[in-house]
Amino acid sequence: EAQVTQNPRYLITVTGKKLTVTCSQNMNHEYMSWYRQDPGLGLRQIYYSMNVEVTDKGDVPEGYKVSRKEKRNFPLILESPSPNQTSLYFCASSLSSWYEQYFGPGTRLTVT
Amino acid sequence: SQQGEEDPQALSIQEGENATMNCSYKTSINNLQWYRQNSGRGLVHLILIRSNEREKHSGRLRVTLDTSKKSSSLLITASRAADTASYFCATSGFQKLVFGTGTRLLVSP
């Protein structure tokens, strides 16, 4: 089954404790991206990757890092989480930014 | 940012009625896409309309695109309770897909 998986689905952590949210897709897609969703603000892109070892900033990259060492995986790293990073995070993959995006189920992160 | 904005922010209708939601955007696009999100879940792609197309249909969905006005509309005909969700437009530009803030649709039985 074609899918995008994210782990963990729910995470409660404390300020400053480094964390990683994993994202994996099994569709051989070249384009992957991370979004955060906040009430009233819609989805905002954090980072995207056009292919392996090619990543670029989206609209809200501050406080986040990503890597793309393999085509299928695109982890999101919060090196020092802060409460303003409490949000619902989505990973998505696609053939390219022009095509239909396939979304993961989401990761609800709470930073206290 | 070329973020789209949906209108209305919320829409409440009865089953069987049609639902229309609109999207406006700011810059030139390659295509415009509509997505649906059930509460707190991942978004699901509904339909894509290219910048050189004016109208597209998929089942009970009808999408129009007016590039001169930088606007699009999504029409859901004969709505069902199961259509209750949030709907987002997304504009495809250079290497990025930018989402609007969404319309929350409530369809009552």
Side-chain angles (χ1 to χ4, degrees), chain B residues 18-21 60-64 73-77:
Chain B
N18 295 341
T20 300
M21 48 204 89
R60 293 185 295 113
L61 305 180
R62 173 179 170 254
V63 170
T64 62
S73 67
L74 171 67
L75 168 68
I76 304 174
T77 59

Side-chain angles (χ1 to χ4, degrees), chain A residues 31 93-103, chain B residues 29-36 44-59 61-67 71-75 88-93 96-99:
Chain A
Y31 185 89
S93 75
S94 176
L95 290 171
S96 84
S97 64
W98 291 16
Y99 288 91
E100 158 185 8
Q101 306 285 306
Y102 291 80
F103 280 81
Chain B
I29 61 172
N30 295 308
N31 64 56
L32 187 143
Q33 303 175 30
W34 285 90
Y35 288 80
R36 165 192 167 130
V44 175
H45 182 265
L46 294 176
I47 194 166
L48 180 153
I49 185 165
R50 294 183 174 81
S51 59
N52 61 354
E53 296 176 310
R54 292 297 167 257
E55 187 171 312
K56 201 161 184 179
H57 296 254
S58 177
L61 305 180
R62 173 179 170 254
V63 170
T64 62
L65 178 64
D66 187 335
T67 53
S71 67
S72 173
S73 67
L74 171 67
L75 168 68
F88 296 86
C89 69
T91 50
S92 173
K96 291 173 61 173
L97 192 65
V98 180
F99 286 81

Side-chain angles (χ1 to χ4, degrees), chain A residues 48-106:
Chain A
Y48 63 94
S49 169
M50 303 287 286
N51 211 327
V52 175
E53 302 293 2
V54 181
T55 63
D56 208 346
K57 297 177 181 178
D59 295 319
V60 288
E62 295 78 20
Y64 304 94
K65 284 177 57 177
V66 293
S67 68
R68 187 91 182 272
K69 293 183 170 54
E70 306 167 279
K71 199 170 189 178
R72 63 183 294 128
N73 296 324
F74 191 45
L76 179 69
I77 302 157
L78 285 73
E79 298 234 330
S80 184
S82 62
N84 65 10
Q85 293 177 298
T86 292
S87 188
L88 180 58
Y89 291 87
F90 290 102
C91 179
S93 75
S94 176
L95 290 171
S96 84
S97 64
W98 291 16
Y99 288 91
E100 158 185 8
Q101 306 285 306
Y102 291 80
F103 280 81

